[in-house]
Amino acid sequence: MKTTKQIVVDTYWLKIVALNFFGWVFIYADRTVLNPIMPEIQKMFGLDNVTLGMIASIFFFTYTVSQIPFSRLADHGNQKWLIGLGCVFFGIMTIFSGLVTSFGFFLVLRALVGLGEGTFYGASFGLSSQNIPNKYLTIGLAVINSGQAIGQISGTIISSYIVLQHNMHWSIPFIIVGIPTIVIGILYLTVVNNTHYLSEKRVNVSQPQVSKKKQGIVGLFTRQLVGTYFMLFASIYGQITMLTWLPLFLTNYRHVSGYNVGWISSIVPFIAIPSALIFARLNDKITHARRLLLFLVPISSLSFVTGMVISNNVVLILSLIVYGITGKMTIDPILLYTVKNNAPDNQLATTFGVYNFFGMIASIVAPVIMGFLMDLTGTMIIGFYFSAMLLLVGIIIFSLAIPGKKKGVAV
């Protein structure tokens, strides 16, 4: 019979999962609250498409360069303060983003928001993977990751409803998202402790390769990890292209207006939530990430362009549903599982930080490349084609880097 102390210990990982889930909700709400109102900001400041893309690029630049330093701090046991204070900081900067009247100050504040959000990734997934029991690892990571989808839906709908539907000022969605972000940071500081109570019990006898993991800088760049990094890069490039430019595509090319922009843009994250949980649980049972990704990614690539190329709104919606089932948010927990199984044990948060660093480079270049291709060709289609081809290159590199499953070994 379990004692009260044992029950508290056994359920502590659920608190970690819940807080990290809500952390992702408000991180992604902050990111996507901007997208439906980009035409409003473009008109207000008189921006061309490349300059408009810079808003997302400068945010992701500071977010990306902060990944490795903050993740190194997390490996030294500073997760609680790092994430808590980071959430408070970027929540405040989000509120101020909606209050400025100068485009220059707006860019500075978005850069500071990216810096604040940079505290989260490595620390949160490092802490989570150390505390979630092995038999629930992928599903636990999927629950956390589903916060991204909830946040994407919330940010898009809030912004579309307030600004596009009711013609209110574009600053209000930033304030609505910023306030609860600060609350989550305060909760993280009061609820989480730095005890990794499972760290000494997470030795899995079915994974003999763990004891042979390379340490130091070399351990961060093994063949398996580099292949995973590139797959993340390709999937994030596609996701950012979709997140950033789909509302504008719907408005300018499909003549969708008002609240409908938010709902259609939310199809992907809405569908991705159950899909990610189902495939994550399947991976926990079969422990074969390579096989699942070889199935999911090619379908994702095809669906990415089908709805954009065929001028039919029904086909568009169906392709967004398929992309939601097979796309970035669904494969994320499987890639995180792969990173956990190949990361050096004493550099877990750092490995997640490096992983996210390379993935986020795509977030820096994707908006500007798409804007450049639009100005060059006069259409968005070529940009969507490029994203789909990059996904196929990514899965080829990943499948070559990750060996087939050996008996008793998870990959």
Side-chain angles (χ1 to χ4, degrees):
M1 185 174 182
K2 291 185 178 181
T3 65
T4 303
K5 183 176 180 180
Q6 287 174 319
I7 293 173
V8 170
V9 168
D10 288 346
T11 59
Y12 176 70
W13 69 273
L14 295 173
K15 296 179 182 178
I16 299 292
V17 168
L19 281 173
N20 286 334
F21 166 83
F22 282 107
W24 276 125
V25 167
F26 292 109
I27 284 176
Y28 264 74
D30 169 82
R31 295 178 186 181
T32 56
V33 77
L34 175 68
N35 297 333
I37 59 177
M38 285 177 70
E40 297 294 321
I41 294 175
Q42 187 175 31
K43 286 187 290 185
M44 177 177 177
F45 294 116
L47 309 176
D48 59 26
N49 289 321
V50 173
T51 308
L52 187 65
M54 283 179 59
I55 297 173
S57 292
I58 196 167
F59 163 85
F60 284 115
F61 175 77
T62 55
Y63 177 77
T64 300
V65 298
S66 64
Q67 288 300 302
I68 296 176
F70 284 138
S71 296
R72 293 288 292 176
L73 285 175
D75 273 329
H76 288 85
N78 298 304
Q79 294 93 334
K80 172 180 179 177
W81 294 100
L82 197 61
I83 299 174
L85 294 178
C87 285
V88 171
F89 177 78
F90 88 75
I92 294 172
M93 293 302 103
T94 296
I95 293 172
F96 285 157
S97 295
L99 302 178
V100 297
T101 56
S102 163
F103 181 65
F105 280 122
F106 183 78
L107 283 180
V108 169
L109 285 168
R110 295 308 294 170
L112 291 175
V113 171
L115 187 67
E117 291 187 14
T119 62
F120 191 81
Y121 195 98
S124 66
F125 280 119
L127 187 62
S128 299
S129 61
Q130 286 175 319
N131 285 278
I132 299 173
N134 277 323
K135 61 182 178 178
Y136 301 122
L137 181 57
T138 318
I139 188 68
L141 295 174
V143 170
I144 293 171
N145 223 50
S146 66
Q148 298 181 14
I150 299 295
Q152 184 180 334
I153 294 169
S154 302
T156 302
I157 291 178
I158 287 170
S159 193
S160 300
Y161 182 78
I162 290 174
V163 180
L164 301 184
Q165 189 74 15
H166 290 280
N167 299 311
M168 299 174 72
H169 195 269
W170 59 265
S171 64
I172 296 176
F174 288 100
I175 298 171
I176 292 174
V177 171
I179 292 173
T181 302
I182 297 171
V183 174
I184 289 297
I186 294 171
L187 284 174
Y188 216 102
L189 293 173
T190 56
V191 172
V192 175
N193 60 59
N194 288 327
T195 302
H196 304 154
Y197 64 89
L198 285 175
S199 59
E200 295 181 359
K201 300 190 294 181
R202 290 291 305 277
V203 179
N204 188 343
V205 295
S206 68
Q207 298 183 29
Q209 80 279 17
V210 170
S211 62
K212 298 180 181 180
K213 291 175 185 173
K214 297 177 181 179
Q215 304 298 316
I217 297 297
V218 175
L220 300 174
F221 296 97
T222 62
R223 183 185 69 177
Q224 292 86 348
L225 287 173
V226 170
T228 310
Y229 299 160
F230 193 87
M231 186 65 253
L232 179 70
F233 175 91
S235 66
I236 287 181
Y237 186 98
Q239 184 199 39
I240 293 301
T241 299
M242 182 75 73
L243 286 179
T244 305
W245 296 105
L246 181 60
L248 195 62
F249 177 82
L250 293 172
T251 301
N252 291 355
Y253 289 80
R254 295 298 172 85
H255 309 295
V256 178
S257 60
Y259 199 39
N260 290 328
V261 172
W263 280 112
I264 294 176
S265 299
S266 299
I267 288 174
V268 171
F270 182 80
I271 296 296
I273 295 171
S275 177
L277 295 174
I278 290 169
F279 282 106
R281 191 58 186 149
L282 179 61
N283 188 65
D284 277 333
K285 291 182 177 295
I286 70 173
T287 62
H288 205 311
R290 183 173 182 266
R291 181 180 298 170
L292 285 177
L293 292 178
L294 282 170
F295 169 73
L296 292 169
V297 175
I299 298 175
S300 174
S301 175
L302 179 63
S303 66
F304 197 89
V305 295
T306 301
M308 311 301 172
V309 174
I310 300 176
S311 298
N312 183 294
N313 285 344
V314 174
V315 175
L316 172 64
I317 291 173
L318 290 174
S319 70
L320 290 175
I321 290 172
V322 175
Y323 180 73
I325 294 172
T326 60
K328 191 263 180 186
M329 292 186 188
T330 296
I331 71 173
D332 245 357
I334 303 172
L335 291 176
L336 289 166
Y337 166 89
T338 306
V339 172
K340 170 62 181 69
N341 279 343
N342 290 281
D345 294 330
N346 65 340
Q347 299 183 88
L348 192 54
T350 301
T351 307
F352 280 117
V354 172
Y355 164 78
N356 199 40
F357 171 84
F358 284 105
M360 285 296 104
I361 291 175
S363 300
I364 299 173
V365 301
V368 173
I369 289 176
M370 186 65 163
F372 170 76
L373 291 173
M374 286 171 60
D375 287 339
L376 182 67
T377 65
T379 179
M380 302 179 85
I381 300 301
I382 188 66
F384 290 118
Y385 268 123
F386 182 79
S387 300
M389 291 179 63
L390 192 59
L391 279 172
L392 294 178
V393 173
I395 190 58
I396 290 170
I397 292 175
F398 178 85
S399 63
L400 293 175
I402 303 295
K405 184 177 179 181
K406 299 178 181 179
K407 186 176 181 180
V409 179
V411 294

